[in-house]
Amino acid sequence: MQTEKQSRDVFYVSDGTAITCETVGHVVLGQFPFYANEKTFPFVESEEKLTELLKHIEISFQANGIKPLVFFSLVIAEFREKLLQANAHCYDVLESIVQRVKDDIHMEPVPKLQRSRSVSKDTDTYFDRIAAIEYTLAHDDGISLKGLEQADIILLGVSRSGKTPTSLYMAMQFGLRVVNYPYIDDDIRGLKLLPEFEIYRHKLFGLTIAPERLTEIRQNRLAGSEYASTAQCQHELANVEALFRREAIPYINTTSLSVEEISTRVLEKTGLKRRLF
Amino acid sequence: MQTEKQSRDVFYVSDGTAITCETVGHVVLGQFPFYANEKTFPFVESEEKLTELLKHIEISFQANGIKPLVFFSLVIAEFREKLLQANAHCYDVLESIVQRVKDDIHMEPVPKLQRSRSVSKDTDTYFDRIAAIEYTLAHDDGISLKGLEQADIILLGVSRSGKTPTSLYMAMQFGLRVVNYPYIDDDIRGLKLLPEFEIYRHKLFGLTIAPERLTEIRQNRLAGSEYASTAQCQHELANVEALFRREAIPYINTTSLSVEEISTRVLEKTGLKRRLF
């Protein structure tokens, strides 16, 4: 089997944000060994935008001599048809699944413009999500330990173990109220659980990381500092992990995990429910 | 055509985070008029987890008398086959598209466990993303106006017009460094552009919102306050919008938009490139 080329233009096209098309396309492309030159066309809801898109597709085809790939989702039938006539390989990211669900459950789909994440649909859900983000921001990095009764989870760990990005992702993506608290050098020896956390033990969750990785991350931030030294990283991690074990706080190692993977593993281990938006 | 029932169990299943399955499944289900009782099974990489999942599917089928829906992505062939034998309607969210891409471009896919968002793959990208989140946090809500030369975009608007969630989303999802600056009551009259922004005019972008919606949001926060009054909201918005027009700052109205939609529209209007993770 022959490969056509080692690089290709890829378009993500939707009448909504195109985030679903990007998500699917990105994972699909991850299975093929070529470089993808990606471009997103969101909100293709007018003739003008469609014409603009078709022009770009044609330019890509003429310039490269091969068809670009298009991952799309378009509700308007006329737009779909015009797109399908372009010099491109087009993949509807939802259509085949919608058809199969329809056949399986004997229910007619009601296609709608991609407004699944629209505010107007559900104001309460929207407020919940914004409130989760605000709560999490106000409780980032030990800023405040007030209102812990509202927390869904309290993340503990040394500086640079992944607490802040994980907290924000869990708030944004899953609508959770996350507190995170760093163990810093001063209180690392003879580490004890803060009295504030005592009655919320069931919400505590620890993050740890390999000393080599922590050193690498801290060097990236403050090269050559004591803070970023291997000895310091090992020292802090050993003490914090001992605390987690002593106090029976569940914890995971974030070393080779992305923010999405850390968040998902925390949810899995705690049984916290995701709220999907 | 007859509907089977108005509520159904839905499973999202993956050997990775299952975020792609959730994204696709959620949009597909948005087209069908039934209530989905959703449960996610991430990291199905072991016999134990598969067995646990199959047990839950069977319990659902027995309890409800109808097959649950399963949106899945599993690389291990043996696990796929066992899942497909369950009493469920199963939809592989990627397989048909991967097959079609393969046929179209004459290239063999290299299936891999769903680690598309794994850290180890690309440490630079990971650091870029974390750095974007940190930069954005440090420049939230006017906290700091230093280092503006590193900003990808500077969002302006009144309190509660959507700046903070949009900034964090753009940092997390697209790896952008976002500054946001609120116009507060004190400086609202005779509003001028801050001198700090003068040489970064090309980075400025405004958010506005309908006065009624702003009132609703602020009432939700501080009911009965002057801050949340219709008059105050109208006053602030009129002044800020006048500034945007006077200074030729592009802006959008966020009233009926979700965080994802606002972010996508801002990117679209500014031509900023998304970095996908």
Side-chain angles (χ1 to χ4, degrees), chain B residues 19-38:
Chain B
I19 291 171
T20 305
C21 296
E22 287 181 339
T23 304
V24 171
H26 214 58
V27 179
V28 168
L29 294 181
Q31 303 197 9
F32 292 93
F34 64 86
Y35 173 78
N37 176 27
E38 300 164 307

Side-chain angles (χ1 to χ4, degrees), chain A residues 154-173:
Chain A
I154 301 169
L155 297 180
L156 307 175
V158 303
S159 166
R160 303 281 116 180
S161 54
K163 299 182 302 301
T164 292
T166 302
S167 300
L168 290 173
Y169 186 82
M170 290 175 79
M172 184 77 74
Q173 188 78 5

Side-chain angles (χ1 to χ4, degrees), chain A residues 228-244:
Chain A
S229 70
T230 308
Q232 180 65 22
C233 290
Q234 282 172 338
H235 173 69
E236 291 184 25
L237 287 167
N239 277 284
V240 166
E241 286 177 26
L243 173 76
F244 293 160

Side-chain angles (χ1 to χ4, degrees), chain A residues 2 22 30-31 38 49 91 104 106 110 112 117 119 129 134 160 257-258 260 268 273-274, chain B residues 2 22 30-31 38 49 91 104 106 110 112 117 119 129 134 160 257-258 268 273-274:
Chain A
Q2 205 189 332
E22 287 181 339
Q31 303 196 10
E38 300 165 306
K49 289 209 177 167
Y91 312 99
D104 288 339
H106 311 301
V110 186
K112 49 191 173 191
R117 292 162 193 259
V119 172
R129 185 185 196 188
E134 279 177 5
R160 303 281 116 180
L257 303 179
S258 68
E260 286 82 355
E268 194 192 15
K273 212 166 152 46
R274 310 178 180 205
Chain B
Q2 204 188 330
E22 287 181 339
Q31 303 197 9
E38 300 164 307
K49 289 208 178 169
Y91 311 101
D104 287 339
H106 311 301
V110 185
K112 50 190 171 191
R117 290 164 195 259
V119 171
R129 186 184 195 190
E134 279 178 6
R160 303 281 116 181
L257 304 179
S258 68
E268 192 191 15
K273 211 161 155 50
R274 310 179 180 204

Side-chain angles (χ1 to χ4, degrees), chain A residues 1-6 8 12 16-20 22-24 26-28 30-34 38-40 42-43 45 49 69 71 89-94 96-98 100-102 104-112 114-120 123 126-127 129-130 133-134 137 140 160 164-165 168-169 172-174 213 216-217 220-221 255-262 264-265 268 273-274 276-277, chain B residues 1-6 8 12 16-20 22-24 26-28 30-34 37-40 42-43 45 49 69 71 89-94 96-98 100-102 104-112 114-120 123 126-127 129-130 133-134 137 140 160 164-165 168-169 172-174 213 216-217 220-221 255-262 264-265 268 273-274 276-277:
Chain A
M1 204 172 266
Q2 205 189 332
T3 60
E4 286 187 43
K5 250 191 183 172
Q6 292 314 306
R8 262 186 194 268
Y12 301 113
T17 62
I19 291 171
T20 305
E22 287 181 339
T23 304
V24 171
H26 214 57
V27 179
V28 168
Q31 303 196 10
F32 291 95
F34 65 85
E38 300 165 306
K39 197 156 167 47
T40 303
F43 306 117
E45 299 166 311
K49 289 209 177 167
L69 307 186
F71 296 91
H89 299 299
C90 297
Y91 312 99
D92 189 323
V93 300
L94 299 176
S96 75
I97 298 179
V98 169
R100 289 190 45 214
V101 171
K102 172 191 153 182
D104 288 339
I105 70 172
H106 311 301
M107 201 181 263
E108 279 298 318
V110 186
K112 49 191 173 191
Q114 296 304 317
R115 301 297 294 262
S116 70
R117 292 162 193 259
S118 180
V119 172
S120 45
T123 293
Y126 180 73
F127 281 136
R129 185 185 196 188
I130 301 297
I133 293 169
E134 279 177 5
L137 275 179
D140 180 41
R160 303 281 116 180
T164 292
L168 290 173
Y169 186 82
M172 184 77 74
Q173 188 78 5
F174 304 133
R213 176 70 178 168
E216 186 189 356
I217 294 173
N220 187 271
R221 185 181 173 85
T255 306
S256 65
L257 303 179
S258 68
V259 173
E260 286 82 355
E261 288 168 328
I262 300 169
T264 304
R265 289 207 187 266
E268 194 192 15
K273 212 166 152 46
R274 310 178 180 205
L276 298 175
F277 297 105
Chain B
M1 204 171 272
Q2 204 188 330
T3 60
E4 287 186 41
K5 251 193 184 173
Q6 294 314 304
R8 263 184 194 271
Y12 301 114
T17 62
I19 291 171
T20 305
E22 287 181 339
T23 304
V24 171
H26 214 58
V27 179
V28 168
Q31 303 197 9
F32 292 93
F34 64 86
N37 176 27
E38 300 164 307
K39 195 153 169 51
T40 303
F43 307 117
E45 299 166 310
K49 289 208 178 169
L69 308 185
F71 296 91
H89 299 299
C90 295
Y91 311 101
D92 189 324
V93 300
L94 300 175
S96 75
I97 298 180
V98 170
R100 288 191 46 214
V101 172
K102 173 192 154 183
D104 287 339
I105 69 172
H106 311 301
M107 198 182 266
E108 278 299 317
V110 185
K112 50 190 171 191
Q114 297 303 317
R115 301 295 298 258
S116 70
R117 290 164 195 259
S118 181
V119 171
S120 44
T123 293
Y126 180 73
F127 281 138
R129 186 184 195 190
I130 301 298
I133 293 169
E134 279 178 6
L137 275 178
D140 180 40
R160 303 281 116 181
T164 292
L168 291 174
Y169 186 83
M172 182 78 72
Q173 188 78 4
F174 303 133
R213 176 69 179 169
E216 187 189 356
I217 294 174
N220 186 271
R221 186 180 172 86
T255 306
S256 65
L257 304 179
S258 68
V259 173
E260 285 82 354
E261 289 169 328
I262 299 168
T264 304
R265 289 207 186 265
E268 192 191 15
K273 211 161 155 50
R274 310 179 180 204
L276 296 177
F277 297 106

